[in-house]
Amino acid sequence: ITALTVQNTVGVQGVEPVSADLVRQTLKGLHADFHLAAVRIGMLGSGDVTGVVADFLKSAKLKHVVLDPVLKSSSGADLIDAPGLKILRERLVALSDVMTPNIAEAIALTDFVDPKSAATKLVEMGAKAVIITGGDTTDSVDLLYERKEFEEFRAPKIESRATHGTGCAFATSMACLLAKGKSVREALIEAKVYVRQAIENAPGLGRGIGPMKLG
């Protein structure tokens, strides 16, 4: 089973999007060489790259596409330009099997502040299922909307500095679990446990926001 992660690169000085042609050729080569059982889409950066990814997904017709719409950094910097955001809204949402936005991303994509309204809107836009992650709330509450039904998954929030990459880890775990035959609900529960354990067992590197223990 191969899970493909589509994400741009981050340099020391900020975000440096790779060229759209390089992304196109890479996706073409990977698709020709591997059976891609799942796809996780993260930070895309530019409209050109976002368009390439949308074209690839439309033509490849792959299963288990998890869209993690990374829009801003934790410091507030934009991680996708205006053309990219437009393509994400108009094309990528409809090509996804599961979306995993946090509350701020869900609001930005739909203009609805209420999480349930935002999730409903994203499904209306074409997503098959939506998980609005809430790791930054008082309790860790993830809201699943699938088949016109809502379900909340709660856990006590962990006070930790080791939270860098939690959203990426959650979405990637979801993709891998879906590829292994789990339902969206089952994958959500296992991915939530995985990220929680990764935070609890973090190595505690540095003084700032640090990495989890992955693997």
Side-chain angles (χ1 to χ4, degrees):
I1 294 174
T2 301
L4 172 65
T5 293
V6 182
Q7 181 155 309
N8 245 312
T9 57
V10 180
V12 174
Q13 300 301 320
V15 179
E16 295 290 340
V18 298
S19 72
D21 187 59
L22 177 59
V23 173
R24 182 183 296 107
Q25 295 302 321
T26 300
L27 293 174
K28 181 180 178 181
L30 289 171
H31 190 216
D33 200 29
F34 293 95
H35 166 64
L36 301 177
V39 179
R40 176 256 171 182
I41 303 168
M43 184 180 66
L44 296 172
S46 70
D48 289 341
V49 169
T50 308
V52 164
V53 173
D55 289 342
F56 170 73
L57 292 177
K58 184 177 180 180
S59 63
K61 294 180 171 56
L62 300 174
K63 296 180 179 179
H64 310 312
V65 177
V66 178
L67 174 58
D68 179 20
V70 180
L71 307 183
K72 290 182 180 291
S73 69
S74 55
S75 61
D78 290 332
L79 296 179
I80 190 168
D81 60 19
L85 183 58
K86 185 173 187 293
I87 295 170
L88 193 155
R89 279 197 183 108
E90 295 179 356
R91 299 185 63 193
L92 281 187
V93 170
L95 291 167
S96 68
D97 292 294
V98 184
M99 285 189 69
T100 62
N102 61 32
I103 293 172
E105 291 160 348
I107 292 171
L109 289 169
T110 64
D111 294 324
F112 285 108
V113 176
D114 174 62
K116 289 187 176 181
S117 298
T120 302
K121 178 63 176 178
L122 289 170
V123 169
E124 289 174 355
M125 291 164 65
K128 294 181 179 66
V130 176
I131 301 167
I132 298 184
T133 60
D136 52 353
T137 55
T138 302
D139 286 330
S140 176
V141 182
D142 296 325
L143 176 69
L144 169 63
Y145 183 55
E146 184 182 25
R147 300 187 182 92
K148 297 184 178 181
E149 293 184 356
F150 290 100
E151 187 173 3
E152 288 187 349
F153 298 83
R154 292 180 174 269
K157 186 174 181 179
I158 303 171
E159 295 301 328
S160 172
R161 291 185 295 103
T163 56
H164 183 72
T166 51
C168 296
F170 177 80
T172 302
S173 180
M174 284 288 306
C176 293
L177 289 162
L178 291 172
K180 293 174 69 174
K182 301 290 185 179
S183 68
V184 172
R185 186 180 187 276
E186 290 170 336
L188 188 162
I189 293 170
E190 291 192 32
K192 191 175 180 71
V193 171
Y194 169 71
V195 172
R196 187 175 187 85
Q197 291 176 341
I199 295 172
E200 291 174 337
N201 296 303
L205 302 176
R207 295 190 180 93
I209 302 299
M212 304 171 290
K213 179 179 175 59
L214 300 178

